[in-house]
Structure formats: C-alpha cells, structure tokens
Amino acid sequence: MNQKQIAPRSVLIPPGAFIMGTDIEPFYGTALMSSANAKLDEAPIHVRFLAAYRIERYPVTNAEYAIFVKETNHPPPQHWKNRSYPGDTANLPVVQISWHDSKAYGEWAGKRLPTEAEWEKACRGTDGRIYPWGNTFELPNEAALSQILTTHLTAIGNRPATESPYGIQEGAGNVWEWTADGYAPYPGTKQRVSRKSVNAGHKTLRGGSWLEARDGTAKRYFRCANRLHAPPDYTADNIGFRCVQTPPPGQQYPVHIPIEPLENYVKQQKRRNLKLIYKRTQRSSLKDGMLASGLIGSGIYAFITFPKLALGGFAVGIIGTGFLFSAATNFWRRWRAGKRLKEFNGYSKTRRDENLDSE
C-alpha cells in the first residue's frame, strides 16, 4: 500500500504524564463541579505516563476507508451501495464499523487503534480538563457552540471548536470512536462496573456523537473522561474510529510533563475536594438535623396535644424523619471525608519523613 494515499493528518503526542479519569468517591459521587455528569466507571482519577505516539487529527473518512476496502476486498459498511459510499460523503467519518473492522484497517495502514489512555490524553491534554476545549460546556459564542452541538454527521475539519490542547479535532461529537482496550474497571477503583460487559469482552468507545447532541445528553457524553462500551462486532450510524502510530524505534523525544509533579498536583486536588465535601456535609448535617428536630418535635406535640391535628402532626413527623435521614447521610459522608483526609495527611507525613531520611 502507498502510505501517501491516506493523508497523514497526524499529531505527535510527546512522552509524558497526564490526568486520567474523574474524582468520584462512593460517599460523595458527583457532588463536585469537576465530577458533575460523570459516571462511576471513570473513577479513580489517576496519573498515567505514556510514551510518544502519533494520532490522527480526525476520524477515518469514507474516502480513506474505501481505499482499504478496494485493496483488501474487506466487506464494506452495510449501508454502502455496490461497495461504494454515496458520492457526496467522501469526507464524512466512516460509520457502521465494528471494532474488528477498525482493527483490520489499522493493521493494513501500518497503524493501530489508540488505547483508552492514548485517546484521552490526546483529546484532554495534561491538565485534567473536562472537555477538549476547557472545563465548562458553554462557549463564548453561539457559532462555536453550534459546531459542538451539530445534530448530524459532519465532514471532518468543520468543527474547529472541538479542538483539544494537542490540536486533535472531533474528540467530542461527530462519532463515537473505538479504542484498542477491552472494557474493564480502572485499577484501584472502589466503584462497581458491569461485570457482565467485562466478561463478554466488550470494547471501549470514546468521544460521544451527533446523536447525543440531538438527544440533549452532550454535556455528559462529550466529557473527555466519559467511557462507553459495546461488543466488538457491534456497528451503528454514530460509531467510527481514528488510528495512532508508534514512532520508529530509537527516535527520542523530550518528556513533556514528568509524572511526579502531576501526581502531587492530583493529590492536592483530591485533598481540596475532600475538605470541600467535609465542610459542605458538616453544614448540611447540622441544618438538616435542626430541621428534623423541629419537625419531629412539632409533629409529636400536635399528635398528642391536638387530636384533631393528629393526621397533620403525623405528616409533619414523617417529613422530619426524611430530614433526619438526610442529616445522618451527611454525617456519614462527613465522617468518611474526614477519614480519607487523615489518610492523606498520614501519607504526606510519611513522604516528608522519607525525604528527611534521604538527606
């Protein structure tokens, strides 16, 4: 195959660390702004170090995939006619592609599918941002937002508002993209994931698609850390892929972000989040406890003193019980946050002692 037949359109991602996943604890879930709309299988937030790789700026198009189909006699997507895509869709991302199809294309092109970590780093950058363009879904102008919320498949290169810090486009919207990895929980997670999907050999998809823009769920599914999974033989009108390529052996690149400073930064953020949860649940527990005491006391008083108001007093008591449950829940969350903070402080003290011993 002549590699020039496929436009390179690739970006070098230098070796270095990046922030992967989302900070979600079982006791506070998505209470933080940074974890709003997150799913439990994104936890825990962690730091990964990746070697250098090149990733395509855009998903693979119909025109590119057609060359592969012609040269290898590979079965075309089921919606193509006479083994050809419709004439005006050459630059649309190819869809109705299974994981097996995308893997075969990558091998033919001398490339491969990205791992989940490679996909997330390329589209998220190194700072743990929520979306490729930043930490808020809203953009400063309507034109940029309309690009992101396009409710149909669009030609590559027409959605610059989706560009990531590394210059990757289409990382949110257009099509879901297959990755090389099987679906599995992240190491160290405390969250439950679908064991049925893991055992069934599901593969992970990233990026969200035009369908989520149409359905009004883009704010959740366009996040860089969001994960989806499906059987490897699954196909759909909103699933495509892009490829990566490992640089030639012996080619050296300077490390962009070292792992230790980023790990320290993530620990600081985690500690800050725990302090926030601790203070927030302390206030909520006190407020709900006071409301519960007042309502339950009033209900009992009305029930005993005024027989005609017994039903109303009972209802007030039930409402108070709800506030009591809320107070207890927030007290438990406060206790868990305090416990985790002590663990962090103990870890920090141990690290300081190790540093002193080594001097």
Side-chain angles (χ1 to χ4, degrees):
M1 170 198 163
N2 182 359
Q3 291 289 342
K4 292 183 179 179
Q5 289 177 304
I6 294 181
R9 300 197 325 273
S10 63
V11 175
L12 175 69
I13 310 297
F18 79 104
I19 298 172
M20 187 173 186
T22 304
D23 184 15
I24 309 176
E25 287 279 4
F27 59 92
Y28 62 73
T30 60
L32 301 167
M33 184 193 76
S34 59
S35 63
N37 302 303
K39 297 193 300 187
L40 296 179
D41 63 357
E42 299 168 24
I45 189 171
H46 56 289
V47 175
R48 294 283 302 273
F49 186 96
L50 299 179
Y53 61 98
R54 298 194 71 89
I55 185 167
E56 292 174 345
R57 194 180 300 271
Y58 307 104
V60 173
T61 64
N62 282 326
E64 292 170 333
Y65 198 79
I67 301 172
F68 162 65
V69 169
K70 181 179 179 180
E71 291 197 5
T72 65
N73 203 33
H74 190 87
Q78 61 183 15
H79 64 289
W80 286 17
K81 303 294 184 182
N82 300 319
R83 300 179 63 80
S84 297
Y85 56 86
D88 59 346
T89 63
N91 289 324
L92 291 181
V94 64
V95 294
Q96 289 287 352
I97 297 297
S98 72
W99 181 86
H100 298 294
D101 293 329
S102 58
K103 182 174 181 291
Y105 174 93
E107 292 173 349
W108 166 81
K111 303 176 183 179
R112 59 180 174 80
L113 291 175
T115 64
E116 273 199 274
E118 288 172 335
W119 191 99
E120 187 167 330
K121 181 180 180 180
C123 291
R124 191 177 196 180
T126 61
D127 58 4
R129 59 183 55 199
I130 299 172
Y131 302 99
W133 54 86
N135 285 321
T136 58
F137 189 76
E138 293 73 18
L139 289 172
N141 60 76
E142 286 296 322
L145 189 60
S146 65
Q147 287 179 22
I148 291 171
L149 294 178
T150 304
T151 57
H152 54 82
L153 200 62
T154 59
I156 62 169
N158 289 320
R159 302 171 73 241
T162 64
E163 185 169 287
S164 80
Y166 284 116
I168 300 302
Q169 293 191 23
E170 314 292 342
N174 233 355
V175 291
W176 284 99
E177 299 176 20
W178 288 112
T179 71
D181 294 338
Y183 179 67
Y186 290 145
T189 185
K190 299 176 182 178
Q191 311 291 354
R192 293 182 180 180
V193 299
S194 172
R195 299 307 309 179
K196 182 178 179 181
S197 300
V198 173
N199 296 335
H202 284 200
K203 301 297 183 179
T204 52
L205 295 129
R206 292 301 196 100
S209 75
W210 58 267
L211 185 60
E212 283 69 52
R214 191 185 70 182
D215 292 347
T217 56
K219 187 172 286 190
R220 181 179 194 184
Y221 288 103
F222 284 10
R223 293 174 308 100
C224 299
N226 182 64
R227 311 171 73 196
L228 194 68
H229 55 90
D233 56 354
Y234 181 75
T235 63
D237 290 334
N238 62 335
I239 294 180
F241 70 102
R242 76 178 75 207
C243 291
V244 302
Q245 198 165 24
T246 304
Q251 199 161 353
Q252 300 295 321
Y253 300 96
V255 172
H256 183 208
I257 303 290
I259 192 167
E260 187 170 359
L262 204 55
E263 284 184 333
N264 291 335
Y265 171 77
V266 169
K267 289 184 177 71
Q268 291 171 4
Q269 291 296 107
K270 185 76 171 179
R271 187 182 290 108
R272 187 175 295 111
N273 290 342
L274 286 168
K275 287 181 178 178
L276 178 63
I277 294 297
Y278 185 88
K279 292 179 180 178
R280 186 181 296 173
T281 52
Q282 185 177 40
R283 289 195 299 267
S284 297
S285 179
L286 180 61
K287 181 184 71 175
D288 291 347
M290 292 176 66
L291 284 170
S293 298
L295 289 169
I296 293 173
S298 299
I300 293 174
Y301 179 78
F303 188 85
I304 295 174
T305 309
F306 305 101
K308 292 182 178 181
L309 299 177
L311 185 59
F314 181 75
V316 169
I318 292 296
I319 295 172
T321 302
F323 278 103
L324 183 62
F325 177 79
S326 178
T329 300
N330 280 308
F331 182 84
W332 173 74
R333 288 173 173 166
R334 175 178 172 271
W335 174 77
R336 287 294 302 274
K339 183 179 179 182
R340 294 285 284 121
L341 277 169
K342 287 181 180 179
E343 292 172 1
F344 266 103
N345 292 335
Y347 172 84
S348 298
K349 184 177 184 302
T350 301
R351 290 297 297 270
R352 287 198 300 271
D353 292 344
E354 289 175 353
N355 291 336
L356 288 171
D357 291 341
S358 63
E359 290 179 355

